[in-house]
Structures are given as structure tokens and as C-alpha cells.
Amino acid sequence: MTERTPFRVRIKVRHYELDTLGHLNHAVYHSYAEVSRLELLEAAGALKGLGNVASVLLETNVVFRRELRAGDEVEVTCDVKFGTGKAFKMDSTITKLDGTLAAEITCTLGLMDLELRKLVADPRGVFEAAGADLKLMSTSE
């Protein structure tokens, strides 16, 4: 199997996203990962055809490595890792264009049936049935 690079988006740090120390506010790292997750799902066609099912964030963890400041440009990756249960992972890195790793973000998600208000048993299968490009979503597919 050929190893592929994860999906990525480029974001420029804006002044209004800074904290009082002049760093990117901690909560914005979560927002950057969310942008990457949604862009990936859209690019893979995973937002269409899901019917009455939507992704829900169950857990998120950020490891801060280096500060980001106004004007920095970063690439935010996203890679999906499906397991055998109801939950799946979407991992992101935030890296400055010079290669400096700024943060690592791991999220656990599920797909919720919006009528039953319960997680579906096989999220990978639901994405696949909806026509999502699983090869774009995951480097391990």
C-alpha cells in the first residue's frame, strides 16, 4: 500500500484570534481543526447523502508545541482513522509553513442518527454508502 499525505488546508492567523500575550488563543486551535475536518468531509463528498445522520464531536485533545502569532500561515491536516466501533478518529496537525509543528489535535467523533439520537454502529459503512471518497478521507484506506 502506498502511503499518502493527509488532507490539508492553509489558514492565516488573524489579529483578532490572539490572546492578551499575542499568541493564537487556545480555543482557536480547535476551530482550525474543525475547519480542516469540515473541508475534508466536504471534499470527500461525505456531507451529502447522509440523510438524517450527522457527525458529532465526542472528545478532543490538543497538544500545543509552538506559539502562533498574527500573520503566521499554517497548514492544518486532517486524517480519518476508522476502527470497529461506533466512534472514529480525526487527527490533525497545525504546522507553520517553515515546517515548525505548532499543535497536534486528536478528535473522537461519531455519526448520530438524528431521529433516534443515537450513534450509528458503522460510521465507515455509512460514509461509504453515502458515496464518500474514503481514500481522500484516510491515509490508511
Side-chain angles (χ1 to χ4, degrees):
M1 178 177 359
T2 306
E3 188 154 333
R4 295 185 317 276
T5 59
F7 179 84
R8 60 190 68 237
V9 296
R10 189 171 286 187
I11 300 174
K12 185 174 183 177
V13 176
R14 296 162 294 238
H15 288 84
Y16 64 83
E17 297 172 323
L18 305 181
D19 62 19
T20 57
L21 299 174
H23 311 140
L24 185 66
N25 180 278
H26 63 91
V28 180
Y29 287 84
H30 292 279
S31 295
Y32 285 7
E34 180 75 3
V35 167
S36 182
R37 287 193 304 273
L38 289 173
E39 292 283 334
L40 171 57
L41 292 174
E42 182 177 18
L47 296 178
K48 299 177 185 174
L50 289 178
N52 205 31
V53 174
S55 65
V56 292
L57 184 63
L58 303 171
E59 180 181 355
T60 186
N61 183 61
V62 179
V63 178
F64 301 99
R65 300 290 183 190
R66 294 287 182 272
E67 70 178 354
L68 292 173
R69 300 178 67 80
D72 285 342
E73 285 190 66
V74 297
E75 284 195 331
V76 185
T77 65
C78 190
D79 189 36
V80 181
K81 293 179 174 60
F82 293 105
T84 57
K86 295 179 181 181
F88 59 98
K89 301 280 187 187
M90 292 185 88
D91 296 334
S92 296
T93 60
I94 300 176
T95 308
K96 291 182 179 184
L97 297 186
D98 69 4
T100 303
L101 179 63
E104 298 166 295
I105 303 164
T106 301
C107 296
T108 303
L109 296 98
L111 291 180
M112 181 180 280
D113 180 310
L114 298 175
E115 286 181 23
L116 299 175
R117 307 306 291 176
K118 295 185 182 235
L119 296 180
V120 302
D122 179 17
R124 184 188 184 285
V126 171
F127 280 129
E128 189 172 37
D133 182 350
L134 296 177
K135 289 182 180 180
L136 179 62
M137 290 173 67
S138 177
T139 58
S140 60
E141 283 296 319

